[in-house]
Amino acid sequence: MNHTVQQLLLAALVVLPLLGSAAALLPAPPGLRGRGPDQAVLRHGVTVTGVVLAAAIALAAGFDHDHPARMQAQTDIGWIPALDIRIHLGVDGVSLPLLVLTALLTFLSALYAYFNRPSGPSPKAFVALLLLLESGTLASFAVLDLMLFFLAFEMVLIPMYFLINRWGSGERERAAWRFILYTLLGSVVMLLGLLLVGLGGGTFDMVALATDKGAGLSHTTQLIAALAIIVGLAVKAPMWPLHSWLPDAHTAAPTVGSVLLAGVLLKMGTYGLVRIVLPMTPGAAHTYAPYLAAFAVVGIIYGSLACLALARTGARGDLKRLIAYSSVGHMGFVLLGIATLTPTGVNGALFANIAHGLITGLLFFLVGALKDRSGTTDLDQLAGTSGAALYGRAPRLGGLLAFGAVASLGLPGLAGFWGEMLAMFGAFDPADGLSRPAYLTYMAFAGLGTLLTAAYMLIVVRRVCMGDHPIEPRIGTEPERPALADVHGHEFAAWSPLVALTVLAGLWPAALLGLTDPAVQQLLAGGNR
């Protein structure tokens, strides 16, 4: 593809949602209102996110797959000369899958919201915030200037805060405040680290800094800067013990908010570790890697045990909260892969990022649909005394929930398997200078985490999908529950791409690993030219 066309497509990914966000606040033209202005603005959200997804697919199709380590579609324009801050955009094999994933999940969220209008204030504000969130997330994966990365990183916080606070449920105000306070405090710390790296390296250009491998930074400066950046990114990742905002945010958020929070926003933290910390502060990364791996493994075990506690009968566990805690465990595998400092581990982390976005996005869609039908996500209320019998009451919905559960537990042949396996392979043979006995211990605990994940996911499937479903109530039995509507056409349209991609990534992992591996090799070796 022509370089200019690539530049325009990448710029469009960032700018179009921003323009669409502003346009959503304007009155709809009379001829486009349809059944009313609310329908018109929701349709506007679907249209804009659909165009952005088409641009992302076109960019991926035109990407030079023979040279995924080379930064492509670059735009480099001066913005603030006094601080040497530039509008520098580009895409390589690390960022391209995340750009496509973000565009896909946002489009599917807009499509779902069009048919399932979120309860809350005016849809105008909802669509405007959704598009602003998409613009900031895409910019985070596309910018190549440290200050622009920070601005894009911050840009997503306010829209997500309002999506939780105004369109959420339950203790939404408390959850929204915890989300914004944790992430803002983490960002302030991260900014100090980014400034140290940029000023010490003589530039804020991420490509140049990665190529220099921290040559302009003393070891002490690297240690201080990397620690600050890791703390800021770890809050968003989320890494134990900085994860406590996540379950509340997911439980309170609307369905669309949960999908984007789990499927996209969490990836910004791990992406920053791979793009910034590993190549720009390699000495500090080597120092902190064992500690990062230890926290990752604790997160894997902790998240799994929390899910087991929520899944047991009588615990009154919330299904959305359970999936949120499962994200703590799954993202622990991503952090473990990064902490091995090996191409195998980092590739596994990037693969697990994409797999988690697809699978957990699907699970939150399904739980949102289940809540719309039954009015609750409380596992005890859903299951009753004999199980919810979702297979009998809504077989397609039950089948999809079972599919998402077995994909999440890492069944071979589905996307969730490869990332976790490669992360553990990386721990089996970590980078030179790292303690192999320590990493073998981490690998063993991570393996235990996979067993615990299988345990709680199978419990959820048994309780929600199986159970007695009598045609006529019998004496001494639980009364028959009312029938549930099965999967609607618009839901099938929103969920089927996630199912298909989960299967495709599981059966053909080389499609993704072929993109990331050359870029990871070059980042670990010294930059990305």
Side-chain angles (χ1 to χ4, degrees):
M1 181 183 291
N2 182 277
H3 177 65
T4 303
V5 175
Q6 279 189 314
Q7 286 180 307
L8 292 174
L9 286 172
L10 186 57
L13 287 180
V14 177
V15 174
L16 280 179
L18 201 58
L19 297 177
S21 177
L25 300 175
L26 301 176
L32 297 178
R33 287 180 183 172
R35 292 195 299 270
D38 289 351
Q39 185 200 37
V41 74
L42 290 170
R43 186 173 60 240
H44 168 78
V46 175
T47 303
V48 174
T49 55
V51 172
V52 171
L53 175 59
I57 293 173
L59 180 66
F63 187 80
D64 185 357
H65 292 263
D66 293 330
H67 301 90
R70 192 181 74 231
M71 199 62 72
Q72 301 178 36
Q74 288 196 67
T75 299
D76 193 0
I77 304 171
W79 185 34
I80 306 177
L83 300 177
D84 193 29
I85 299 176
R86 308 180 65 80
I87 299 176
H88 190 182
L89 306 177
V91 60
D92 66 353
V94 171
S95 54
L96 180 64
L98 291 167
L99 289 170
V100 177
L101 176 69
T102 301
L104 174 65
L105 286 178
T106 311
F107 170 70
L108 298 181
S109 297
L111 183 66
Y112 186 83
Y114 179 77
F115 291 98
N116 297 269
R117 176 180 165 180
S119 57
S122 165
K124 277 190 173 185
F126 178 85
V127 172
L129 291 169
L130 183 67
L131 293 174
L132 185 62
L133 181 70
E134 180 180 34
S135 179
T137 311
L138 289 169
S140 297
F141 299 136
V143 297
L144 296 173
D145 184 278
L146 285 178
M147 291 299 100
L148 282 186
F149 175 82
F150 175 77
L151 293 176
F153 198 86
E154 294 298 286
M155 184 176 167
V156 305
L157 302 184
I158 301 302
M160 183 54 71
Y161 166 80
F162 280 109
L163 286 175
I164 297 172
N165 195 10
R166 303 302 299 276
W167 286 271
S169 59
E171 297 183 359
R172 57 188 184 184
E173 291 186 10
R174 176 176 175 270
W177 274 110
R178 289 196 74 182
F179 165 77
I180 199 73
L181 288 175
Y182 267 74
T183 50
L184 275 179
L185 288 174
S187 297
V188 169
V189 176
M190 183 180 72
L191 176 60
L192 298 176
L194 295 177
L195 289 172
L196 274 176
V197 171
L199 296 174
T203 179
F204 290 106
D205 186 275
M206 293 166 67
V207 176
L209 288 168
T211 304
D212 291 342
K213 295 186 67 176
L217 305 173
S218 67
H219 186 64
T220 302
T221 304
Q222 282 196 37
L223 289 175
I224 297 172
L227 179 61
I229 296 170
I230 289 171
V231 168
L233 296 173
V235 172
K236 187 69 72 70
M239 182 182 77
W240 182 91
L242 303 175
H243 69 285
S244 59
W245 60 270
L246 183 71
D248 290 339
H250 271 307
T251 305
T255 297
V256 167
S258 292
V259 169
L260 294 177
L261 181 58
V264 176
L265 265 67
L266 304 189
K267 313 301 175 284
M268 294 165 61
T270 50
Y271 170 79
L273 290 173
V274 174
R275 178 67 76 192
I276 298 173
V277 175
L278 297 192
M280 299 182 196
T281 57
H286 196 278
T287 300
Y288 291 130
Y291 305 100
L292 182 62
F295 283 124
V297 170
V298 172
I300 292 170
I301 301 298
Y302 170 83
S304 300
L305 292 176
C307 289
L308 276 172
L310 290 170
R312 64 185 174 85
T313 303
R316 301 197 63 81
D318 187 284
L319 192 51
K320 286 185 73 176
R321 195 174 190 87
L322 185 147
I323 298 173
Y325 272 110
S326 78
S327 291
V328 176
H330 288 305
M331 296 307 289
F333 280 99
V334 177
L335 293 168
L336 175 62
I338 294 171
T340 67
L341 305 183
T342 62
T344 301
V346 176
N347 276 301
L350 295 174
F351 197 103
N353 253 348
I354 302 300
H356 179 264
L358 296 172
I359 298 167
T360 309
L362 174 64
L363 285 172
F364 275 118
F365 271 135
L366 293 167
V367 174
L370 195 57
K371 183 179 182 181
D372 291 340
R373 287 158 169 78
S374 63
T376 183
T377 53
D378 185 287
L379 264 173
D380 286 342
Q381 292 185 38
L382 285 173
T385 58
S386 59
L390 203 58
Y391 286 151
R393 302 167 69 197
R396 295 182 183 86
L397 185 61
L400 283 171
L401 184 61
F403 172 84
V406 297
S408 182
L409 63 84
L411 184 73
L414 298 176
F417 172 74
W418 296 105
E420 295 181 2
M421 184 193 71
L422 289 173
M424 288 191 286
F425 276 0
F428 180 78
D429 187 18
D432 293 340
L434 298 177
S435 170
R436 190 160 187 247
Y439 274 81
L440 288 175
T441 304
Y442 299 150
M443 183 188 73
F445 278 107
L448 174 62
T450 63
L451 298 178
L452 295 175
T453 302
Y456 69 74
M457 279 299 178
L458 292 176
I459 291 173
V460 168
V461 170
R462 176 177 58 81
R463 297 192 66 198
V464 177
C465 296
M466 302 178 186
D468 297 328
H469 185 59
I471 297 175
E472 295 182 0
R474 296 188 297 270
I475 296 175
T477 65
E478 189 180 358
E480 182 180 9
R481 301 181 184 86
L484 291 177
D486 214 337
V487 178
H488 301 303
H490 68 274
E491 292 173 332
F492 180 78
W495 303 338
S496 56
L498 301 179
V499 173
L501 289 172
T502 299
V503 174
L504 180 63
L507 296 178
W508 190 28
L512 184 55
L513 294 174
L515 277 176
T516 61
D517 184 53
V520 167
Q521 296 272 3
Q522 190 157 308
L523 276 173
L524 294 177
N528 197 334
R529 295 183 181 277

